[in-house]
Amino acid sequence: MDQLRKISLIGLTFLLLSITITGIASGQNEIPDEVTWFFGLGAAVCAVVVIFWFVIWILVAIWVYRDAEKRGSSGVLWLLIVIILGIIGIIIWLVVRPPIGGHPKEQASGRMCPNCGRPIPMDSRVCPYCGKQFESFLK
Ligand SMILES: [Zn+2]
């Protein structure tokens, strides 16, 4: 959010500056048209950038909200965290977010790989982690 505020401020400064320059230029006719155009264009570009950032930000916030709800977390809580902390909030969410649909099914099956001890699917013949092959189907 800090970045957004900074960009908004730069955009606003550019806008005010361009209005001032345009005012001086029209009054004294000393500043060439190119300069007026440059600042006008600068203000327009800044406005577009600010709007662009704002839209991206809203889309990201909506995504975090939906992602949190989908994974059984509070969407509103994470939305607030992202709004308050900004990019850091998004990073925290990406780190701590639980997998979709809770823990993988393999863990519920209780079948462990005899080689590496990790949970594996009930019907696998090869350990997906260490690649060990099992002689019998249900060992
Ligand atoms: Zn294994």
Side-chain angles (χ1 to χ4, degrees), residues 59-76:
L59 288 177
V60 167
I62 290 168
W63 175 80
V64 169
Y65 175 84
R66 286 192 179 162
D67 200 41
E69 289 284 307
K70 200 163 65 184
R71 289 159 196 268
S73 297
S74 169
V76 176

Side-chain angles (χ1 to χ4, degrees), residues 112-118 120 126-132 134:
M112 300 290 186
C113 170
N115 191 43
C116 67
R118 279 190 255 204
I120 46 167
V126 178
C127 174
Y129 298 104
C130 67
K132 181 177 171 62
F134 313 120

Side-chain angles (χ1 to χ4, degrees), residues 33-90:
D33 274 355
E34 289 79 23
V35 176
T36 316
W37 267 104
F38 174 76
F39 279 103
L41 202 69
V45 167
C46 280
V48 168
V49 167
V50 167
I51 291 164
F52 182 75
W53 258 102
F54 198 67
V55 169
I56 293 278
W57 201 235
I58 287 170
L59 288 177
V60 167
I62 290 168
W63 175 80
V64 169
Y65 175 84
R66 286 192 179 162
D67 200 41
E69 289 284 307
K70 200 163 65 184
R71 289 159 196 268
S73 297
S74 169
V76 176
L77 177 77
W78 280 103
L79 191 66
L80 284 174
I81 289 171
V82 167
I83 288 169
I84 294 163
L85 296 178
I87 302 280
I88 297 161
I90 294 165

